[in-house]
Amino acid sequence: GAGVSQSPRYKVAKRGQDVALRCDPISGHVSLFWYQQALGQGPEFLTYFQNEAQLDKSGLPSDRFFAERPEGSVSTLKIQRTQQEDSAVYLCASSPGTNLGETQYFGPGTRLLVL
Amino acid sequence: DAKTTQPNSMESNEEEPVHLPCNHSTISGTDYIHWYRQLPSQGPEYVIHGLTSNVNNRMASLAIAEDRKSSTLILHRATLRDAAVYYCILRDGGDYKLSFGAGTTVTVRA
């Protein structure tokens, strides 16, 4: 079946531009996560949705980062006024329910390069 | 969060077993040991998890020390497709997020 998809796969932005990254989770999955992965490091948690509710946004690095999931399926991560330090791979993951400790299914990521 | 320690890298020959160690000396009684791996240019994927007993699935085996302060992920016959970064992660019953470390980069030689 279809896995988690993300678009675009690659994005080049000039410093100061706004970007929007899309995540299509596995159909029917309740939980959705965003992670940020800097070069050579493991992914770091950004935010967590349960259906349309954003239950945890403690990992968002600044108020320039905003995530939404208005209908409980597709999610968008928006970064305003991008900075060079925002360059990273942004990973989306989903899991079927709300059971803590469930397996997370990851998309291929969006590689963002800010010039 | 409890921490894990893994070697930075390991090399293996194709068709040979690979034993990936993970130390977690501060593990609590409710922490599960999870392993994920990340192939080049892909997102992480689940490999296996366990609490106390050794576990086997189609991908790998997980051997957990009796005192649970360490564990070993075993790939029984490495293939070129197993070249990836392997992450050992502790999750307790309250964890919905994954806390990744730097992982172990596994290289498989043909």
Side-chain angles (χ1 to χ4, degrees):
Chain A
V4 177
S5 60
Q6 294 186 244
S7 61
R9 290 294 312 277
Y10 303 92
K11 177 70 178 177
V12 179
K14 292 183 179 179
R15 190 162 51 113
Q17 279 185 333
D18 297 348
V19 299
L21 312 179
R22 177 187 170 106
C23 172
D24 284 81
I26 293 172
S27 178
H29 276 200
V30 170
S31 295
L32 185 145
F33 306 82
W34 285 97
Y35 293 83
Q36 179 190 57
Q37 185 171 24
L39 191 64
Q41 299 182 24
E44 292 195 358
F45 170 80
L46 293 177
T47 188
Y48 164 53
F49 288 87
Q50 193 177 107
N51 295 307
E52 68 278 4
Q54 189 175 21
L55 299 187
D56 186 347
K57 54 181 180 178
S58 63
L60 296 176
S62 76
D63 58 7
R64 296 186 295 104
F65 286 71
F66 172 76
E68 61 183 4
R69 194 186 184 199
E71 297 179 357
S73 55
V74 171
S75 177
T76 304
L77 177 66
K78 298 179 180 178
I79 308 173
Q80 297 176 326
R81 304 181 304 280
T82 52
Q83 304 294 313
Q84 286 186 322
E85 61 263 29
D86 300 335
S87 296
V89 175
Y90 291 85
L91 295 160
C92 176
S94 68
S95 61
T98 59
N99 292 328
L100 302 175
E102 275 186 330
T103 296
Q104 293 184 18
Y105 299 85
F106 284 80
T110 294
R111 184 176 298 275
L112 173 66
L113 177 62
V114 181
L115 302 177
Chain B
D1 289 342
K3 301 291 187 184
T4 63
T5 304
Q6 300 178 251
N8 289 334
S9 62
M10 293 189 72
E11 289 190 354
S12 175
N13 294 318
E14 202 174 9
E15 303 295 318
E16 290 184 355
V18 182
H19 291 240
L20 299 176
C22 181
N23 288 322
H24 29 77
S25 58
T26 59
I27 190 170
S28 73
T30 56
D31 283 335
Y32 284 77
I33 303 158
H34 288 247
W35 285 81
Y36 280 72
R37 72 178 184 180
Q38 187 171 21
L39 303 173
S41 300
Q42 295 188 27
E45 64 175 347
Y46 168 80
V47 178
I48 200 167
H49 78 281
L51 183 62
T52 55
S53 302
N54 294 344
V55 185
N56 300 295
N57 66 21
R58 64 175 180 82
M59 291 180 71
S61 295
L62 177 60
I64 302 172
E66 195 168 338
D67 64 4
R68 300 208 329 122
K69 294 187 176 184
S70 66
S71 59
T72 302
L73 180 71
I74 303 165
L75 308 178
H76 293 286
R77 292 179 63 194
T79 69
L80 297 178
R81 196 197 174 276
D82 292 321
V85 180
Y86 287 77
Y87 298 98
C88 173
I89 300 167
L90 299 183
R91 300 180 80 184
D92 72 19
D95 276 344
Y96 45 78
K97 60 188 173 187
L98 293 167
S99 297
F100 293 85
T104 298
T105 299
V106 171
T107 303
V108 181
R109 294 184 292 258

